[in-house]
Amino acid sequence: ITFQFMLHDEPGVLSGILTSFAQHAANILTINSIVPSNGCALVTISAETIGLTVQLEELLRLLRDTPYVIKAEILAG
């Protein structure tokens, strides 16, 4: 599944997102980021979610609730 995030450009934001993926047994395949501008960064993360320990909707809610996440959505899956 490919996720897209709009993040505030703050230290540790991406780390928090990756921690959520790891805590719920999602396997990160790729991470792509566009150079931040105007204090925001656009990041796409592709992850294998077969072994998730929560429902996909719950993972997405947790990701959206991560501090400094402006937007989180599923692009493809």
Side-chain angles (χ1 to χ4, degrees):
I1 294 180
T2 302
F3 298 82
Q4 183 176 61
F5 300 91
M6 177 66 71
L7 310 173
H8 285 285
D9 185 20
E10 296 287 336
V13 177
L14 184 56
S15 176
I17 290 170
L18 296 177
T19 296
S20 289
F21 277 109
Q23 288 174 337
H24 301 293
N27 183 33
I28 302 297
L29 303 173
T30 64
I31 301 171
N32 294 295
S33 165
I34 296 174
V35 175
S37 65
N38 297 322
C40 296
L42 185 64
V43 177
T44 57
I45 298 175
S46 295
E48 184 179 298
T49 57
I50 290 173
L52 276 182
T53 59
V54 295
Q55 294 292 318
L56 182 58
E57 295 80 16
E58 176 67 7
L59 176 61
L60 189 56
R61 186 191 66 73
L62 293 167
L63 293 168
R64 286 179 178 148
D65 290 345
T66 302
Y68 301 108
V69 171
I70 300 166
K71 184 170 89 170
E73 61 187 0
I74 295 174
L75 285 184

